[in-house]
Structure formats: structure tokens, C-alpha cells
Amino acid sequence: MSETIRITVLVENSVHRQGLVAEHGLSFHVQSGEHSLLFDTGQTGLAVINSETLRLPLDRVEAIVLSHGHYDHTGGVSAILDVVPAARVYLHPAAFENKFNRSSDRSREIGMSDCVAMAIRRRAGGLVETAGRTGITDGVFVTGEIPRANTFEDTGGAFFLDAEGTRPDPLTDDQALVVDLGRSVILLLGCAHAGVVNTLDHVRHLTAGKPVSAVIGGLHLGSASEERIQQTIARLRDAQLEILAPATAPAGRQRQNCGRHSRTFSIPPAPARS
């Protein structure tokens, strides 16, 4: 890949620039040469509002890639399709399943809303189901389902497919976005419900062992065991990343912030081989 890659956080749980608004959710804008896409959409139409504040128009977005089916990553789809109705939507088929979180004997529905599912099926420029590796544009692909190869990572919470909590949700729909720079790759995560280590290992398998130079996004380690934390730290150190940018902890509700900086990552093209 010869172009600079520019990754801008449109939605996260905190903001670092005047005029932006945060919410419990995540959305990235990825610019690769003349191509642009969104990875996740937040839980409302805030990605559209923040993109206008950042003067980052969404009308050229070609694809919307969903990391998994939870509401805080899919809720903005309808608002974005209002802007770019021709955009293709990429997601694992299990993202459409009912999803619940259960705590203290109470269940909370956290899956994709019916209106978002309907918008994807009826209004998107195309629906691409991503059970396995699927190309998005030159040098950019989504992993599809990620194998759970180690014993210390779990989905990161009490997730179920039913309100009664009798059917655990393995979150097989969890997937990551990969940008291939040539000599290395960038890894974007929604929540890493498959585990960041499992994801790193799978991406190396998909790219014939290329090193990962950047990991950006959600790691979902808030309730992780001490063993998982220590093993994750060790594996991230072994990866010798140039950039590690975890998403922040949940804010719980929208809030404004008058900081000076937006979170944008520009990765230049790899130097030419000698």
C-alpha cells in the first residue's frame, strides 16, 4: 500500500476537542487513499454530527463495517445511510441475533435494534455477510469470525442470546478490521470480544505472519481476571507495537469536553524496499 492511512475517531466515550460530543459507543473513519469507510457507527447519529464538526464529510464513505451486533456499535447505521445510502454494510451473520446482558438477575437487551436491521436489509447499497476474511478495498479487509484458541480470554461479560440467561452468547460475530501496509498491518477493534490475543494470532495467520504495528480500539478488559491482564500485557509487549490506543472506559451518558485535540492517527506508507 502506497497511500497514507488516516484513522479518525468519530465516536468514543470521551472527547478531546471543543464542539465534539461523546457517548457510550465507538466509530472510526478510515481513509486509505481515495477510499473511505466506517468501522462501527456508535449508538446514535452522533457520528454524523461529529464528522461535520471535524469537517470530515461522510458522503464518500463506500462501506460500513460492523465489528459485532451490540447497539453501541450499530445504532448509528440508519443516520449514516441517510447520508450515504449507496454504502455497503459488512457484518457477520450472527450480528442480527438477539443479544442480552445479565447482571443481578436482571436482563438488558443490548443487540441491534429492529429498525437498524431493517435499514441494513432494505436501504444499504449492499449487504455482505462476513463469516470469514472478506476484502473491503485495496489492502483493507475484515477478519470474519475469530477462533478462540487460548484458555485465558473470554467474551468479557455476562452475554446471552436469551433474556433468561440460559444460552450464553459466544459472540461469534466479533470481528476486526485490518489495514495491510505491506510490511506490517494495523488492527482496529470494536470490543475484542474474541480476545485481543486471539485476534492478534488470527490476523498473523491471515497475513502470513506479518507484524502488527498498531492496535486501536476497544479491548473490553474491565472485568478481566488478573491472569488475563498479565497474559495480555505480555503478548502485547511481545508484539512490539508502534501504536497501542485502547478506547476509554464507558462514560455512561453523553458529555461535552473542551479539550484541544481530536484523536486522529496518520500512518505513512511503508518505505520502498531497497
Side-chain angles (χ1 to χ4, degrees), residues 59-193:
D59 56 355
R60 295 187 178 181
V61 166
E62 303 167 34
I64 301 167
V65 182
L66 300 177
S67 65
H68 60 299
H70 285 163
Y71 74 100
D72 49 330
H73 297 258
T74 64
V77 167
S78 297
I80 292 164
L81 287 177
D82 285 342
V83 180
V84 279
R88 304 178 305 278
V89 177
Y90 294 76
L91 81 172
H92 188 283
F96 288 117
E97 294 179 339
N98 293 328
K99 295 179 179 295
F100 298 86
N101 177 248
R102 190 169 177 83
S103 61
S104 302
D105 296 325
R106 292 185 179 182
S107 287
R108 182 168 61 98
E109 190 170 2
I110 59 171
M112 183 188 306
S113 70
D114 290 342
C115 64
V116 167
M118 185 180 299
I120 291 172
R121 290 190 170 107
R122 295 185 180 181
R123 294 172 49 204
L127 169 59
V128 183
E129 295 188 342
T130 56
R133 171 177 173 162
T134 305
I136 310 297
T137 186
D138 293 343
V140 181
F141 67 90
V142 63
T143 61
E145 190 171 332
I146 298 167
R148 316 299 166 91
N150 65 57
T151 60
F152 62 87
E153 290 184 305
D154 54 34
T155 58
F159 300 116
F160 296 91
L161 296 170
D162 63 325
E164 294 73 27
T166 62
R167 299 168 57 209
D169 185 357
L171 281 158
T172 53
D173 46 319
D174 182 80
Q175 55 186 359
L177 190 74
V178 180
V179 182
D180 192 335
L181 301 176
R183 294 187 179 182
S184 66
V185 300
I186 302 167
L187 176 59
L188 266 67
L189 306 171
C191 270
H193 287 297

Side-chain angles (χ1 to χ4, degrees), residues 226-242:
E226 183 62 23
E227 178 194 7
R228 179 176 179 179
I229 292 292
Q230 293 305 319
Q231 296 228 38
T232 299
I233 290 171
R235 291 294 300 274
L236 290 172
R237 282 176 174 163
D238 288 344
Q240 298 183 319
L241 305 171
E242 297 176 24

